[in-house]
């Protein structure tokens, strides 16, 4: 924090900075002289655990789109004693929302508006430049370092690289302490000789790292969305698989040995942590990972449902994408992980079908048989189920039902008559088997179904 003896950066300084083109929307009496210790970016509705007094809170307002959200947000930041709120326009809001303006006026919280195209890091730059003009010689090294770190952050430097630059410049190590109160990684602390950098520097560095993390997450999310769009075009036959070759080459993935896996939406973060060099795309149906010839066991480590393909060359990428999507549908119905080995059965094929696709089999093939059973014309449904279970063996079916084999033949003839499917032919028994499977699935979901076939 700034000492009282230091000339502070004020809200008036920022509003008067020509490079920012800030508009003062709400300026309570005397607030232009309020000091700004640092700049904090957040999209949280209640960011109080991460705020310090006199910070300028920058936000795009993505959490302020629902009624009452602005009141909650302004109340939270006011309780933290912040200097002001700076709303970035153009991404979520074209102008400050009326509820936000009214809440700021009521709670006497200054509200500034940043025009579209002015990044929050530019506000940081303005604060640092002003700070460099008013700070003493003992602070100039830290200020210059922070400016350099911001330049690195803009070019995509991650936290480890930024901390390495700090340690190299200050001839000591700055690291995260376990169990800190700010963020999940702990607060920053000096681990070198001497007193090290000021606490204000460490606080500013932590805010910078948070900025960098938000920017990295945003860029990663945008890259995953772009890749997901390309994946959907390839899967739909609207783009050639070769379109993904630059991405594979950039990650060092062998184009002749690829494995595609499909995951539920929201899995992107866990996938990026586990497969650092994998290609991760966000599609309309979930997340897709394109990696090398991963062992099947590696997909079970995350504890998520997953469907994966066989190992293919890039020329067969479209097939692999569809195969992994089918395997994911199967995995969702069964739980766990599924691959191409689990797809090669009639039951697996049926489990991937929406219920409404199979309902005609029930209504057209089984409904007449069920009605006949209810009218007391024969134990047809049970006979059909036993006949299928005994691999269409007439004598085995008769023995299980304790009836004559001719009785079984008569019942099967009746089933043929009612359903217009001959149980003694492969095509006929396949249609009837699908109908029975669909009825069993409907019974498991809904109590309005046919009675159990085996009592």
């Amino acid at each position: 924090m700034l000492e009282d003896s230091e000339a502070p950066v004020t809200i008036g300084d920022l509003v008067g900075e020509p490079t920012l083109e800030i508009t003062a929307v709400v300026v309570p009496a005397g607030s232009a002289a309020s000091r700004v210790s640092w700049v904090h970016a957040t999209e949280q509705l209640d960011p109080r655990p991460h705020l310090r007094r006199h910070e300028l809170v920058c936000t795009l307002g993505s959490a302020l789109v629902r009624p009452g959200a602005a009141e909650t947000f302004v109340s939270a930041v006011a309780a933290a004693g912040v200097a002001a709120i700076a709303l970035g326009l153009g991404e979520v809001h074209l102008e400050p929302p009326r509820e936000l303006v009214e809440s700021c006026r009521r709670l006497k919280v200054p509200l500034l508006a940043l025009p579209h195209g002015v990044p929050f890091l530019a506000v940081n730059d303005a604060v640092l430049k002003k700070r460099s003009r008013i700070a003493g010689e003992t602070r100039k090294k830290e200020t210059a370092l922070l400016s350099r770190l911001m330049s690195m952050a803009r070019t995509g430097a991650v936290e480890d690289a930024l901390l390495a630059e700090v340690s190299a410049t200050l001839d000591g190590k700055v690291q995260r302490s376990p169990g800190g109160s700010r963020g999940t990684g702990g607060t920053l602390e000096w681990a070198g000789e001497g007193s090290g950098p000021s606490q204000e520097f460490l606080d500013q560095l932590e805010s910078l790292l948070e900025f960098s993390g938000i920017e990295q997450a945003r860029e990663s999310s945008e890259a995953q969305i772009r890749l997901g769009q390309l994946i959907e075009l390839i899967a739909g036959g609207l783009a050639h698989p070769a379109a993904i070759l630059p991405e594979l080459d950039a990650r060092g993935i062998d184009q002749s040995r690829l494995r595609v896996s499909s995951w539920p939406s929201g899995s992107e973060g866990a996938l990026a942590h586990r497969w650092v060099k994998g290609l991760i795309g966000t599609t309309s149906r979930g997340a897709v990972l394109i990696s090398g010839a991963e062992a099947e066991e590696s997909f079970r480590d995350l504890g998520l449902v997953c469907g994966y393909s066989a190992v293919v060359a890039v020329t067969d990428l479209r097939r692999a994408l569809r195969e992994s999507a089918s395997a994911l549908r199967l995995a969702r119905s069964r739980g766990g992980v599924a691959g191409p080995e689990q797809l090669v059965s009639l039951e697996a094929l049926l489990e991937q079908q929406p219920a409404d696709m199979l309902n005609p089999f029930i209504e057209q093939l089984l409904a007449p048989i069920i009605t006949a059973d209810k009218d007391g014309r024969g134990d047809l449904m049970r006979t059909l189920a036993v006949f299928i279970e005994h691999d269409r063996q007439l004598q085995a079916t008769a023995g299980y039902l304790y009836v004559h084999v001719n009785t079984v033949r008569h019942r099967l003839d009746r089933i043929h008559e009612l359903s217009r499917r001959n149980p003694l032919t492969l095509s006929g028994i396949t249609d009837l088997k699908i109908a029975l499977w669909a009825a069993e699935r409907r019974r498991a979901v809904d109590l309005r179904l046919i009675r159990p076939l085996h009592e």
Side-chain angles (χ1 to χ4, degrees):
M1 303 298 291
L2 286 171
E3 297 296 332
D4 292 338
S5 60
E6 293 184 281
V9 180
T10 66
I11 292 176
D13 292 330
L14 295 179
V15 173
E17 173 58 47
T19 62
L20 298 180
E21 300 181 355
I22 290 178
T23 300
V25 181
V26 177
V27 184
S31 62
S34 298
R35 70 183 189 182
V36 178
S37 64
W38 192 241
V39 181
H40 182 94
T42 185
E43 297 302 320
Q44 292 182 325
L45 193 58
D46 185 355
R48 281 177 292 180
H50 309 290
L51 296 179
R52 296 182 296 270
R53 289 180 60 80
H54 306 301
E55 284 187 320
L56 177 68
V57 177
C58 294
T59 182
L60 296 177
S62 59
L64 309 180
V65 295
R66 295 189 299 274
E71 173 74 17
T72 300
F73 177 71
V74 176
S75 297
V77 298
V82 302
I85 297 171
L87 177 67
L89 300 178
E91 298 292 336
V92 181
H93 302 282
L94 298 180
E95 60 183 17
R98 178 181 300 177
E99 183 185 355
L100 177 62
V101 174
E102 292 175 350
S103 297
C104 286
R105 285 174 177 164
R106 184 177 63 81
L107 296 174
K108 297 182 179 180
V109 175
L111 175 61
L112 310 178
L114 294 175
H116 183 58
V118 176
F120 294 159
L121 283 175
V123 183
N124 279 280
D125 287 346
V127 172
L128 283 175
K129 288 177 182 178
K130 179 67 175 177
R131 185 74 57 79
S132 67
R133 291 193 295 267
I134 62 177
E137 289 297 324
T138 57
R139 302 294 306 279
K140 288 183 179 179
K141 186 177 182 180
E142 294 178 353
T143 301
L145 176 56
L146 283 170
S147 296
R148 187 161 68 254
L149 293 174
M150 284 187 177
S151 297
M152 293 175 61
R154 290 195 190 96
T155 59
V158 297
E159 178 172 312
D160 288 346
L162 296 174
L163 290 179
E165 178 68 15
V166 172
S167 298
T169 303
L170 300 181
D171 297 324
K173 188 175 183 181
V174 173
Q175 62 186 17
R176 288 199 176 276
S177 62
S181 59
R182 279 179 62 103
T184 58
T187 57
L188 295 175
E189 63 181 11
W190 175 249
E193 296 182 359
S195 58
S198 66
Q199 185 59 47
E200 182 183 1
F201 172 82
L202 293 177
D203 290 342
Q204 292 170 354
L205 175 59
E206 189 157 23
S207 291
L208 174 60
L209 294 178
E210 187 173 354
F211 270 113
S212 176
I214 291 174
E215 187 69 11
Q216 290 288 328
R218 181 187 64 80
E219 292 178 356
S220 176
S221 177
E222 290 177 352
Q224 290 171 0
I225 291 173
R226 288 194 298 270
L227 181 61
Q229 292 170 343
L230 176 58
I231 286 173
E232 289 188 317
L233 290 174
I234 293 174
L238 300 178
H240 194 277
I244 207 168
L245 284 176
E247 300 283 354
L248 296 176
D249 292 340
R251 298 297 181 98
I253 300 176
D254 184 357
Q255 61 176 277
S256 66
R257 290 183 58 78
L258 306 175
R259 197 189 289 275
V260 177
S261 54
S262 295
W263 305 76
S265 297
S267 306
E268 292 86 350
L271 296 179
H273 181 74
R274 171 62 179 80
W275 285 278
V276 177
K277 294 187 177 181
L279 285 179
I280 301 168
T282 301
T283 71
S284 58
R285 296 184 179 181
V288 173
L289 168 68
I290 302 176
S291 58
E294 295 286 340
E296 301 165 11
E297 293 76 13
S298 65
F299 297 122
R300 307 181 191 277
D301 295 342
L302 293 184
L304 301 173
V305 293
C306 161
Y308 62 90
S309 73
V311 176
V312 300
V314 70
T315 52
D316 290 323
L317 180 59
R318 183 175 299 132
R319 175 176 69 84
L321 288 168
R322 293 176 177 174
E323 189 173 89
S324 71
S326 297
L328 177 59
R329 287 193 293 270
L330 182 61
R332 287 183 188 276
S333 66
R334 295 181 175 181
V337 174
E341 297 83 359
Q342 288 75 42
L343 290 175
V344 288
S345 70
L346 176 61
E347 183 176 350
L349 181 63
L350 294 176
E351 285 186 42
Q352 299 174 56
Q353 308 306 313
D356 56 359
M357 293 284 291
L358 299 179
N359 282 340
F361 283 85
I362 302 173
E363 306 302 331
Q364 298 299 318
L365 303 185
L366 293 191
I369 302 174
I370 295 171
T371 300
D373 274 349
K374 289 181 178 178
D375 292 342
R377 299 176 183 174
D379 199 0
L380 303 179
M381 286 292 291
R382 187 162 184 263
T383 299
L384 176 60
V386 172
F387 182 63
I388 291 174
E389 287 181 357
H390 285 78
D391 200 22
R392 299 185 296 155
Q393 298 296 315
L394 291 171
Q395 193 63 53
T397 302
Y400 184 89
L401 296 174
Y402 298 102
V403 297
H404 194 275
V405 68
N406 287 336
T407 301
V408 174
R409 289 194 179 94
H410 174 74
R411 291 177 181 176
L412 295 179
D413 288 342
R414 181 61 176 154
I415 290 171
H416 184 187
E417 176 185 346
L418 293 168
S419 67
R420 300 180 301 280
R421 297 294 188 275
N422 187 355
L424 298 178
T425 66
L426 180 59
S427 61
I429 199 62
T430 300
D431 290 347
L432 291 168
K433 184 175 181 178
I434 293 172
L436 278 176
W437 188 93
E440 288 285 0
R441 182 167 75 170
R442 181 194 284 183
R443 181 169 64 92
V445 175
D446 187 325
L447 295 178
R448 298 177 296 103
L449 302 177
I450 61 173
R451 61 183 175 82
L453 302 181
H454 305 291
E455 296 179 345

